[in-house]
Amino acid sequence: MSPNRCCTSRRARGLILASAVALALGASHGGPAAQAAGDQQDPRSLTVIEIPESDLKVSAWLNGSRSSYVIGETVHLNVRANEDAYVTVFNTDAQGQTTVVFPNGFQQDNKVSANSVVSIPGPNDDFRLQVGGPAGSNLIKVIASKKPISLIDAAGFVSRGAFRSFDGQPGGLANHLRTVIVASPDAGWAAADLPFTVVSQPEAAPSIIISTVESPALPALAGLLSEENGGFGLQMALGKQAYAIGEPLTLTVVAEKDCKLTLISVDGAGAATVLFPNAAQQETELTAGRVRFLPGAGSKVQYLIAGSSGEQAIVGLCVEEQPDLFTVLFGRSRAAVPVLSDSELNQVLAELDKLPADQVAKAVAVFTVAGQ
């Protein structure tokens, strides 16, 4: 596939792949709403593809390592594997349209060397990766194998200049990938999911303050940090691992089962603030396998770091519960419990321990706060 630097009138969604002149790819046609069934309408179908276990590991990150990017922003995608591998990268935008980001007409060899970072685009490549609309959730899916097995030579893949997009039937891409992987279970597979949010220029929003105190440890969380997660999976990823005072915090959350989410910020002295839900965000339901971005694009609030430097943690609790646990304990809903004392936090954790293990998921994300 030779590079194509010609202009096109098609407007891209999600990531725009552009040459030095103009090359807009992916989502050249409309589609149903993102919550409809099938992987063209819903990026999460690519997150549930089962990958045979192997010692191959692959990771991916965008420059800035943030959870949201503004329309028009130029980005670089980086991929690394711990062994020599053959890598394919897909991007599914908010409308469910999928583009093959790598390999492409400029980077046709998808073999990567062990522990070497491959940048997309590379330093000498004549194209750029630019964030395009519409606003909403995007998913970058990276699939790697030790053997040179093509994932993109199949019906449904259409070349648009130097890049390919998937124009098959809803659900077809996920089904195709499963078929290829199942046919070669010993190929040494690995995968990585990189969700991010596309936003228009953010407007000013009121803040929920994440207060910090100077402390070298989080004694209130000693037990929770040392124990395994609950009875089902809950994954949290912060936008960054270190924040400055005054900086907004972002994160993504995904659960293995449908559940109700609570996020609690705990500072070094054990003081706990209920970040989520809150007066502006009271919808606590997580759908199994679906990534949720918080505060989220267009949110009426932001989570803002304040106070002094120190170690901080976000505790995620996702529970299949009726009625609301906070109402039972304190006579108030989670959205009306802005601050918990150390003893109240321990009371919440103790009550969760009384529930059947398969109804509770716990996760802790620790980060640091630097002074101004």
Side-chain angles (χ1 to χ4, degrees):
M1 179 168 58
S2 60
N4 186 337
R5 299 189 177 95
C6 293
C7 300
T8 175
S9 61
R10 294 187 176 103
R11 181 165 179 81
R13 300 185 176 100
L15 289 178
I16 297 174
L17 306 169
S19 72
V21 182
L23 178 61
L25 299 174
S28 60
H29 49 280
Q35 54 266 42
D39 81 279
Q40 269 197 291
Q41 288 75 36
D42 194 342
R44 68 182 146 147
S45 66
L46 293 185
T47 69
V48 297
I49 297 173
E50 293 187 4
I51 303 295
E53 186 175 349
S54 79
D55 54 3
L56 178 64
K57 306 297 180 185
V58 65
S59 59
W61 65 97
L62 289 166
N63 59 298
S65 298
R66 308 196 311 268
S67 62
S68 64
Y69 292 81
V70 178
I71 292 174
E73 185 175 357
T74 299
V75 297
H76 287 80
L77 175 65
N78 302 288
V79 177
R80 179 169 53 202
N82 65 335
E83 300 182 37
D84 291 353
Y86 297 85
V87 172
T88 304
V89 180
F90 304 91
N91 178 76
T92 302
D93 69 16
Q95 291 284 31
Q97 309 303 325
T98 300
T99 299
V100 180
V101 179
F102 181 84
N104 54 65
F106 300 94
Q107 299 169 302
Q108 299 183 40
D109 185 1
N110 71 329
K111 184 176 182 180
V112 303
S113 300
N115 297 312
S116 296
V117 176
V118 175
S119 294
I120 309 167
N124 299 317
D125 291 321
D126 193 18
F127 74 98
R128 55 195 172 94
L129 209 57
Q130 188 177 30
V131 178
S137 299
N138 276 231
L139 174 69
I140 292 174
K141 181 78 174 187
V142 182
I143 300 180
S145 62
K146 296 181 183 181
K147 297 181 180 179
I149 299 174
S150 176
L151 298 175
I152 56 178
D153 292 328
F157 288 97
V158 177
S159 293
R160 291 191 171 93
F163 297 87
R164 299 186 190 186
S165 62
F166 184 79
D167 285 355
Q169 293 298 313
L173 178 55
N175 290 334
H176 162 67
L177 295 175
R178 289 189 192 99
T179 299
V180 174
I181 292 169
V182 168
S184 302
D186 299 324
W189 296 97
D193 291 340
L194 180 60
F196 66 99
T197 304
V198 172
V199 299
S200 50
Q201 204 63 282
E203 299 178 355
S207 301
I208 297 177
I209 302 299
I210 302 175
S211 181
T212 66
V213 298
E214 191 164 355
S215 174
L218 293 163
L221 293 180
L224 189 58
L225 287 168
S226 63
E227 67 183 46
E228 296 293 329
N229 285 350
F232 60 94
L234 178 66
Q235 297 180 359
M236 295 195 307
L238 298 178
K240 299 168 60 176
Q241 294 304 307
Y243 287 86
I245 293 173
E247 195 173 6
L249 178 142
T250 60
L251 72 159
T252 59
V253 186
V254 61
E256 185 181 6
K257 299 170 63 174
D258 293 351
C259 57
K260 297 179 180 179
L261 177 68
T262 300
L263 295 178
I264 302 174
S265 168
V266 183
D267 67 22
T273 301
V274 179
L275 293 183
F276 179 88
N278 53 69
Q281 299 173 305
Q282 300 195 38
E283 179 51 61
T284 63
E285 300 289 340
L286 288 188
T287 301
R290 184 170 185 177
V291 178
R292 183 159 185 177
F293 298 78
L294 292 169
S299 174
K300 297 179 180 179
V301 299
Q302 60 179 341
Y303 307 149
L304 194 65
I305 304 293
S308 58
S309 61
E311 194 174 41
Q312 183 90 355
I314 304 295
V315 177
L317 307 171
C318 214
V319 185
E320 298 178 299
E321 61 169 86
Q322 286 291 343
D324 178 78
L325 177 62
F326 279 54
T327 302
V328 173
L329 291 176
F330 311 120
R332 298 166 291 170
S333 70
R334 281 169 285 192
V337 183
V339 178
L340 297 175
S341 67
D342 191 0
S343 62
E344 287 175 327
L345 175 59
N346 288 333
Q347 188 178 358
V348 170
L349 297 176
E351 288 298 317
L352 290 177
D353 287 340
K354 297 178 183 179
L355 296 176
D358 61 356
Q359 294 183 13
V360 182
K362 304 173 186 176
V364 180
V366 178
F367 62 98
T368 57
V369 178
Q372 291 178 319

